[in-house]
Amino acid sequence: MSKRSGGVRLQCAAAAAAAEELGCCFLALPPAAPPSGGGGGGSDGGFDLAWTLHQSFHPASGLFASVGPQVGVGFPASSSSSAPSPPDAPGDPYVEYVSPCEGEGEELMEKGNTKRKSFKLKIKVGNPHLKRLISGGIAGAVSRTAVAPLETIRTHLMVGSNGNSTTEVFQSIMEHEGWTGLFRGNFVNVIRVAPSKAIELFAFDTANKFLTPKPGEQQKVPLPPSLVAGAFAGVSSTLCTYPLELIKTRLTIQRGVYDNFLHAFVKIVREEGPTELYRGLTPSLIGVVPYAATNYFAYDTLKKVYKKMFKTNEIGNIPTLLIGSAAGAISSTATFPLEVARKHMQVGAVGGRKVYKNMLHALLSILEDEGVGGLYRGLGPSCMKLVPAAGISFMCYEACKKVLTEEEDD
């Protein structure tokens, strides 16, 4: 074999040794033979294929056995992309070592690990109290409109008009009024519920935040803060919006008596006196306190249980809907007899009905005339209405609070 081929093998061995020190793999190609007539021997008439597998691939376990941030292949690189050789490096035009730029691998990994940012609507509200009021108002309007037909059927079942079952009441309303009858009084209901829910949720959040002790502080009240805050929220909203509730009930029950909300308000004040707008307020307050307290306490407790079970501080919309619905089912079942008595007192002497002196008188009279079943008349459709309404209300409220961000939230 000629001296030229032996020199090539020495250069390949030197390159392999250098690559071994750098921890890289390379492929060494021998130089092409000079053109014919250059005076070379027969063994130099082409590529010298006399190199070993160990010299061509490193490490010995294979080319693809280890792929890291530095991988080199010994094919000649273009002058525009390859880095200049150091001055002391042996000048071999046929053997090149190419490695990626420093930091290129880390940059690619960072791009691959970057999470896609989802679009989120944010509206800045400077005042945190205004944020709670707006969120509560939207939550109340959406939840009540969604369950308006069930609210209408529930009210008819409570006072015993248009049938004694959900099916009878539904068929009677559809026969006489059509689909619009299921939404009778819904506009007034939204006008009533939107501010009522806004005040209620605002009062609960504010009171609960104030009563909840900070880490290291003593408890401010002997009862759970959410229980007290819920009762306070129910009383606050009832005092502010009770006349709207009474007018809404009158519009639902007394067909053809009132043209609209304003006409009902003026007629009641003129014919029955301003105090008639607050008929049944006492049983309403007594009924609202346990309902609101139970509702918000159950909701707050279930939220804490969920966060502890799943070890997270964020609760999605669907879990919030389910938690709020469960809280509504617990509270409505526990306080339903008081709700029935309140509805009977609000209707008053319409159609020759009995006038009740107070809540206790109403409860005893209903129990005497209809038995225990009378105190729970309409519980089924009531739960069908209150359970999803509570869930939708809490879900909308929490979602609106996330959309309406305060300055300090950013």
Side-chain angles (χ1 to χ4, degrees), residues 239-269:
L239 289 175
C240 295
T241 61
Y242 185 80
L244 298 175
E245 167 71 10
L246 183 137
I247 294 174
K248 179 260 174 186
T249 302
R250 292 285 186 93
L251 285 172
T252 303
I253 300 301
Q254 302 178 22
R255 301 188 186 126
V257 178
Y258 307 107
D259 297 334
N260 49 48
F261 174 80
L262 182 60
H263 179 248
F265 175 80
V266 173
K267 189 172 183 179
I268 292 172
V269 172

Side-chain angles (χ1 to χ4, degrees), residues 30-362:
S36 59
S43 61
D44 299 327
F47 285 111
D48 191 350
L49 301 178
W51 74 85
T52 65
L53 183 64
H54 176 74
Q55 291 173 326
S56 301
F57 297 93
H58 182 82
S61 57
L63 176 62
F64 298 99
S66 176
V67 180
Q70 292 183 345
V71 178
V73 180
F75 292 101
S78 62
S79 59
S80 60
S81 61
S82 61
S85 302
D88 55 347
D92 190 347
Y94 301 98
V95 179
E96 295 288 346
Y97 177 75
V98 181
S99 64
C101 299
E102 183 179 357
E104 185 177 355
E106 290 81 1
E107 184 177 354
L108 292 174
M109 291 176 67
E110 290 178 2
K111 290 181 179 180
N113 293 333
T114 303
K115 295 182 179 180
R116 296 181 179 179
K117 295 182 179 179
S118 59
F119 175 75
K120 293 183 179 180
L121 177 63
K122 296 290 183 182
I123 301 176
K124 289 186 177 180
V125 178
N127 193 317
H129 303 299
L130 180 61
K131 168 186 172 180
R132 298 190 187 106
L133 286 172
I134 295 175
S135 300
I138 295 174
V142 171
S143 62
R144 293 303 174 181
T145 302
V147 297
L150 295 175
E151 166 69 8
T152 301
I153 295 174
R154 181 182 76 111
T155 303
H156 280 285
L157 283 173
M158 281 184 176
V159 298
S161 62
N162 283 344
N164 296 321
S165 66
T166 302
T167 304
E168 291 180 4
V169 173
F170 175 77
Q171 292 177 349
S172 176
I173 293 174
M174 291 295 296
E175 181 180 352
H176 294 91
E177 303 178 64
W179 288 103
T180 57
L182 296 175
F183 291 89
R184 173 180 290 275
N186 182 61
F187 179 72
V188 178
N189 199 18
V190 170
I191 294 176
R192 176 190 67 84
V193 169
S196 174
K197 208 64 180 180
I199 295 171
E200 183 178 307
L201 290 168
F202 165 76
F204 171 75
D205 259 358
T206 304
N208 191 42
K209 186 177 180 180
F210 174 77
L211 295 175
T212 301
K214 297 180 180 179
E217 292 184 353
Q218 294 183 352
Q219 195 167 352
K220 298 180 180 180
V221 291
L223 298 175
S226 58
L227 189 69
V228 179
F232 173 74
V235 172
S236 300
S237 63
T238 301
L239 289 175
C240 295
T241 61
Y242 185 80
L244 298 175
E245 167 71 10
L246 183 137
I247 294 174
K248 179 260 174 186
T249 302
R250 292 285 186 93
L251 285 172
T252 303
I253 300 301
Q254 302 178 22
R255 301 188 186 126
V257 178
Y258 307 107
D259 297 334
N260 49 48
F261 174 80
L262 182 60
H263 179 248
F265 175 80
V266 173
K267 189 172 183 179
I268 292 172
V269 172
R270 182 182 299 172
E271 297 180 0
E272 304 178 50
T275 56
E276 187 67 20
L277 294 174
Y278 287 90
R279 175 184 290 273
L281 176 62
T282 301
S284 295
L285 288 175
I286 297 175
V288 161
V289 169
Y291 174 80
T294 307
N295 188 28
Y296 285 100
F297 174 71
Y299 175 70
D300 189 64
T301 302
L302 292 175
K303 280 178 60 179
K304 292 178 180 178
V305 171
Y306 179 88
K307 291 179 179 180
K308 186 176 181 180
M309 287 180 58
F310 294 94
K311 297 180 181 180
T312 179
N313 291 327
E314 294 292 333
I315 302 179
N317 292 332
I318 300 301
T320 302
L321 176 66
L322 297 177
I323 291 172
S325 299
I330 294 171
S331 58
S332 61
T333 304
T335 61
F336 192 75
L338 299 175
E339 177 72 6
V340 173
R342 182 171 69 93
K343 290 294 183 182
H344 276 270
M345 293 189 69
Q346 284 179 342
V347 173
V350 176
R353 297 179 183 275
K354 182 186 295 186
V355 177
Y356 304 102
K357 301 177 182 178
N358 49 49
M359 185 196 65
L360 181 61
H361 180 224

